[in-house]
Amino acid sequence: MKVFKFGGASVNSPEAVRNMADIVRSYSDDSLVVVVSAMGKTTNKLEQLVPGVRPASEHQELLQELYNYHIEIINQLFPDAHQDIYTAFDSLFAKLKQQVAQSPTRYNFDYDQTVCFGELMSTMIISHYLNFIGLDNQWVDIRELIRTDNNYREGIVDFTATQRCLKQWWAEPRQTSLIVTQGFIAGNSDGYTTTLGREGSDYSASIISYCIDAESMTIWKDVPGFLNADPKYFSDTVKIEQIPYNEAIELAYYGASVIHPKTVKPIQNKNIQLHIKSFLTPDAPGSVIGPFETIQPLTPLYIIKNNQTLLSVLPKDFSFIAEDNLQTIFATLSQLNIRVNMMQNSALSFSLCIDDNEMLLSQLRQRLSPQFRLRYNLGLQLITIRYYTQDIIDRIVGNSTILLQQRSRNTTQLIIQ
């Protein structure tokens, strides 16, 4: 059995959905679990529809944009006579509208109950389309199988419960060897939706692969494999042929966009190889993450994260930044599910780099301000270079101002304006 993951770019149009279906058809002799993300930039719009993020008066326009986008894809994939998909989609979209109309409660909770509709809509459309073209499949609500705690927006997977659910489900008799399900979303014991962290569909596929002992896992991207840099910023990228598990974990931790940070560890524990292939050239070899000794070829690797905030936290009293203050800061970050991309402390201040998020930054400031003074810079860029040299740093930074820098033997990180 193989696990495939298709991201938003691979299903963002009728042509893309047809191409994805062609790839699935070419593996019709295999048992497949196909994990799919929300279509295109749907999650970005849904984030604006989380209760309390924007005035309710602005919801209708956003909802209409989402509806029109998905309906246009449906219109081009199905003939008018195929009414089942329209009925099913309208019913699901009505539930989204009900969720958006809710009064704000807790941001992280409301977020998960809202953004999950992206994956539910995309997989409903794709499952119907695959059945329509003769690829019989079973649509599965992954929220019933991947179980997490109540840590909304970045649920911690209960692997014991999840493995029990998935193994039991996989052992059940079924009419088809093709499964379509969602990435990114999960469920907790209270019956509510949780999510696995932004871009968490890779992690979903990895969890499934681990729990049902998959033969392999493949992530289908719009790039030819694991590149040493994002082609949006670099024109002379190099494709990495093979990546050791631990190297991939390091790169994902620093923010490599090819894979979610939590993806590799579960499949490493079962020695399952992860292939990264292009849905534009599906017959090309791509890259593979596995039990290798070294990365091949060995070349500098660049990771760019935009829209960063550099926050400096300073005690209001006469204390230093020591264990007790750090404990307070980290507890608050954990409560708000704010991930730190880089950190550094001195005697009198603690600096941390986080993703820009106006609502979460406001909550963080509110909780820390009684005890600390806070200073911050918005709209920054975090650059990570693995296997760097000083010449490379000078070339990348140019005339930009470096606000904070860290170096280890193999890796340097720089926050620049």
Side-chain angles (χ1 to χ4, degrees):
M1 189 277 303
K2 297 176 179 176
V3 174
F4 284 179
K5 180 262 176 176
F6 290 92
S10 63
V11 292
N12 65 0
S13 68
E15 295 76 21
V17 173
R18 293 188 185 101
N19 181 66
M20 174 235 174
D22 288 340
I23 294 172
V24 171
R25 189 190 298 277
S26 69
Y27 288 86
S28 57
D29 292 337
D30 296 295
S31 295
L32 289 181
V33 175
V34 177
V35 178
V36 186
S37 300
M39 290 177 162
K41 300 298 183 182
T42 294
T43 303
N44 292 348
K45 279 193 168 61
L46 288 169
E47 286 177 335
Q48 298 304 307
L49 287 165
V50 174
V53 171
R54 295 179 66 167
S57 59
E58 299 179 14
H59 288 173
Q60 184 55 43
E61 182 179 352
L62 283 168
L63 284 166
Q64 194 62 51
E65 289 175 6
L66 276 173
Y67 184 82
N68 291 346
Y69 172 67
H70 287 87
I71 279 294
E72 181 58 27
I73 292 176
I74 292 172
N75 287 341
Q76 295 192 42
L77 290 177
F78 299 92
D80 293 339
H82 197 78
Q83 290 299 314
D84 287 353
I85 179 59
Y86 290 95
T87 302
F89 181 78
D90 284 346
S91 176
L92 181 59
F93 203 83
K95 293 179 181 178
L96 169 60
K97 292 170 73 173
Q98 290 175 357
Q99 167 57 33
V100 170
Q102 298 291 318
S103 298
T105 52
R106 293 167 291 157
Y107 172 71
N108 290 339
F109 173 80
D110 292 336
Y111 181 97
D112 285 1
Q113 311 319 304
T114 305
V115 299
C116 63
F117 282 91
E119 277 67 22
L120 295 173
M121 290 188 293
S122 69
T123 53
M124 172 184 287
I125 294 169
I126 287 165
S127 178
H128 274 76
Y129 179 68
L130 293 177
N131 279 325
F132 174 65
I133 63 172
L135 292 174
D136 293 339
N137 70 92
Q138 178 184 350
W139 181 90
V140 172
D141 189 340
I142 202 64
R143 296 175 297 178
E144 299 176 359
L145 299 176
I146 295 181
R147 315 304 296 173
T148 75
D149 62 3
N150 296 341
N151 197 36
Y152 296 103
R153 261 186 70 247
E154 194 148 358
I156 298 174
V157 176
D158 182 338
F159 271 92
T160 300
T162 298
Q163 190 163 23
R164 182 175 62 250
C165 290
L166 276 164
K167 279 188 173 296
Q168 181 179 344
W169 163 78
W170 189 246
E172 294 173 357
R174 53 180 50 87
Q175 298 294 321
T176 176
S177 60
L178 176 58
I179 307 298
V180 175
T181 193
Q182 307 79 35
F184 180 49
I185 65 176
N188 62 21
S189 58
D190 295 329
Y192 291 111
T193 301
T194 57
T195 60
L196 303 177
R198 199 65 161 86
E199 310 294 342
S201 293
D202 296 351
Y203 187 34
S204 302
S206 175
I207 294 165
I208 295 169
S209 298
Y210 171 88
C211 289
I212 59 178
D213 299 313
E215 172 190 340
S216 65
M217 173 180 158
T218 302
I219 298 175
W220 295 92
K221 306 282 290 185
D222 58 355
V223 290
F226 197 120
L227 303 181
N228 74 320
D230 190 329
K232 289 186 295 188
Y233 305 107
F234 296 84
S235 58
D236 54 347
T237 57
V238 176
K239 182 168 75 74
I240 308 300
E241 305 295 335
Q242 65 179 42
I243 308 103
Y245 288 121
N246 287 343
E247 185 75 37
I249 291 171
E250 289 279 354
L251 294 169
Y253 172 80
Y254 287 123
S257 59
V258 176
I259 50 176
H260 184 273
K262 296 181 181 178
T263 301
V264 179
K265 192 57 182 171
I267 58 175
Q268 180 187 24
N269 288 355
K270 290 284 185 78
N271 205 31
I272 299 168
Q273 290 194 358
L274 168 57
H275 299 268
I276 300 167
K277 302 187 68 174
S278 170
F279 59 77
L280 301 173
T281 54
D283 294 330
S287 304
V288 60
I289 296 170
F292 308 116
E293 292 295 325
T294 59
I295 188 170
Q296 293 292 339
L298 182 60
T299 184
L301 299 115
Y302 307 90
I303 299 166
I304 309 290
K305 289 180 73 71
N306 293 318
N307 302 318
Q308 298 295 293
T309 295
L310 178 61
L311 181 68
S312 294
V313 185
L314 305 91
K316 285 185 174 180
D317 57 19
F318 299 104
S319 63
F320 295 105
I321 288 289
E323 288 78 6
D324 53 347
N325 283 325
L326 289 173
Q327 182 179 26
T328 300
I329 295 167
F330 278 110
T332 306
L333 292 167
S334 177
Q335 291 162 10
L336 294 173
N337 284 348
I338 296 177
R339 183 178 183 273
V340 178
N341 298 323
M342 178 180 170
M343 57 185 149
Q344 191 173 99
N345 69 282
S346 65
L348 298 176
S349 71
F350 176 67
S351 297
L352 59 152
C353 179
I354 60 177
D355 295 338
D356 285 344
N357 185 310
E358 183 178 348
M359 178 170 286
L360 289 179
L361 180 59
S362 174
Q363 293 181 25
L364 181 64
R365 289 164 52 198
Q366 182 179 5
R367 296 193 187 191
L368 292 180
S369 59
Q371 190 173 344
F372 302 94
R373 290 182 292 119
L374 287 87
R375 301 171 182 168
Y376 58 92
N377 299 84
L378 303 173
L380 306 178
Q381 188 177 65
L382 172 62
I383 301 175
T384 302
I385 309 173
R386 193 144 169 86
Y387 308 117
Y388 66 92
T389 65
Q390 186 58 50
D391 287 344
I392 289 173
I393 294 173
D394 294 341
R395 177 168 57 85
I396 294 297
V397 173
N399 295 323
S400 301
T401 301
I402 300 175
L403 300 181
L404 197 66
Q405 180 175 7
Q406 285 185 348
R407 293 192 189 192
S408 65
R409 182 172 59 181
N410 291 325
T411 305
T412 185
Q413 289 190 288
L414 311 105
I415 300 173
I416 65 173
Q417 286 183 316

